[in-house]
Amino acid sequence: MAEASNNPNEMSFLDHLEELRWHLIRSVFAIVIVACVAFVMKDFIFDTIIFGPKKMSFPTYRFFCNIATFFGIDSEFCGDSLPFTIQNRTMAGQFSAHIWTSIWAGFIVAFPYVLWEVWRFISPGLHENEKRYSKGFIFVASFLFFLGVLFGYYVVSPLSINFLGTYQVSKEVLNEIDISSFIATVRAAVIACGIMFELPIIIFFLTKIGLVTPEILKKHRKIALVVVLILSAVITPPDVASQIVVSIPVLVLYQVSIYISKVVIKQELKKEKAAKNGK
């Protein structure tokens, strides 16, 4: 096994599977360790983080309230509390929520290490120049992921909770939200935005393997704009300001992805020219 590791090009299919297995085991182990820490820090994880967007003292609500006050506009963000309660209706509901929230917290915090393990597995198959160009991959990918997580937590989550938690089809129907539903809303916003912010990295690799070009991205820019606006309308309150707040980062990432695709194409053309001149 030691020889196979030192000579990755000579590894058999089963050796590669064995190598992948150990990378996955180490990744899972890292997630479990962080999850155990999160499990112990129950009060901070739930009272401060998970249920933070339910409190009107949350920074996002204060920010929008200050803007509304500055322009002399009445706003829901200036209220004392959100008009809904969180409840548990199953025997193991709270314990299950505690376990799964800890695991997801473990995944988020351990993401850079998981990414590093993935990189360690694929890097032996890359050329030296590809390794050199990809030195900052883990840092950039982790930075974008955490940026997306923060955006999901401080922007998408509170806007969604504020709108969905106060929405009523009739005054006869009270909003009594199940704990699993509330946590799922926060989790979906955070994880979805974290993955969405990886768009430049995804475009980089898709361009590298020839599946995407700047022309394709430009051609479908209008479609991407429509999709982004529809998603923004779904996850935010039905006002233009909130939809713009959510849409802008995604559109910026899309434009950055086009630029990255151009750079990758130029590099590939230079390599082809150098190879022809070398011949």
Side-chain angles (χ1 to χ4, degrees), residues 2-244:
E3 289 184 8
S5 297
N6 292 329
N7 301 283
N9 293 328
E10 299 176 7
M11 291 173 67
S12 67
F13 178 71
L14 290 178
D15 288 333
H16 278 294
L17 285 180
E18 177 68 12
E19 192 71 17
L20 176 61
R21 185 171 74 92
W22 281 106
H23 285 298
L24 292 175
I25 287 173
R26 285 191 290 268
S27 297
V28 170
F29 188 63
I31 292 172
V32 169
I33 289 175
V34 180
C36 289
V37 175
F39 188 86
V40 173
M41 299 173 64
K42 179 182 69 172
D43 293 342
F44 175 75
I45 293 294
F46 282 92
D47 294 339
T48 303
I49 296 180
I50 299 296
F51 297 135
K54 185 185 180 300
K55 303 168 185 173
M56 294 308 294
S57 59
F58 196 68
T60 306
Y61 300 142
R62 292 207 308 269
F63 174 75
F64 282 110
C65 178
N66 290 336
I67 291 177
T69 303
F70 179 79
F71 287 103
I73 302 170
D74 292 330
S75 173
E76 296 177 341
F77 297 112
C78 296
D80 296 324
S81 62
L82 290 172
F84 70 87
T85 58
I86 300 175
Q87 61 179 350
N88 173 57
R89 292 181 293 178
T90 60
M91 186 65 72
Q94 294 199 52
F95 181 71
S96 179
H98 190 185
I99 292 288
W100 281 106
T101 300
S102 300
I103 292 173
W104 280 107
F107 171 77
I108 292 171
V109 175
F111 181 80
Y113 180 80
V114 173
L115 206 58
W116 183 63
E117 286 291 348
V118 172
W119 178 250
R120 285 180 62 196
F121 178 71
I122 65 175
S123 60
L126 300 177
H127 298 296
E128 284 303 318
N129 59 336
E130 290 175 328
K131 290 180 184 178
R132 186 171 66 254
Y133 287 130
S134 304
K135 278 182 179 178
F137 165 72
I138 295 173
F139 172 78
V140 173
S142 299
F143 174 76
L144 289 173
F145 178 76
F146 287 127
L147 193 64
V149 166
L150 291 175
F151 180 77
Y153 180 70
Y154 282 104
V155 179
V156 179
S157 284
L159 291 179
S160 300
I161 290 168
N162 183 275
F163 173 62
L164 297 174
T166 58
Y167 188 85
Q168 287 181 292
V169 294
S170 168
K171 295 295 182 183
E172 297 295 321
V173 184
L174 299 178
N175 283 329
E176 297 177 343
I177 314 298
D178 191 76
I179 185 173
S180 60
S181 177
F182 182 90
I183 293 175
T185 301
V186 177
R187 181 181 64 236
V190 167
I191 299 296
C193 287
I195 294 172
M196 181 178 67
F197 271 56
E198 295 291 336
L199 181 62
I201 300 293
I202 295 169
I203 294 299
F204 173 84
F205 283 106
L206 290 178
T207 305
K208 270 283 187 185
I209 61 178
L211 289 178
V212 167
T213 63
E215 289 71 27
I216 291 175
L217 293 173
K218 287 179 181 177
K219 182 180 177 182
H220 295 93
R221 182 161 26 201
K222 290 181 180 178
I223 297 175
L225 175 61
V226 172
V227 171
V228 168
L229 290 175
I230 291 173
L231 288 174
S232 301
V234 170
I235 65 177
T236 60
D239 65 87
V240 176
S242 299
Q243 292 171 21
I244 290 174

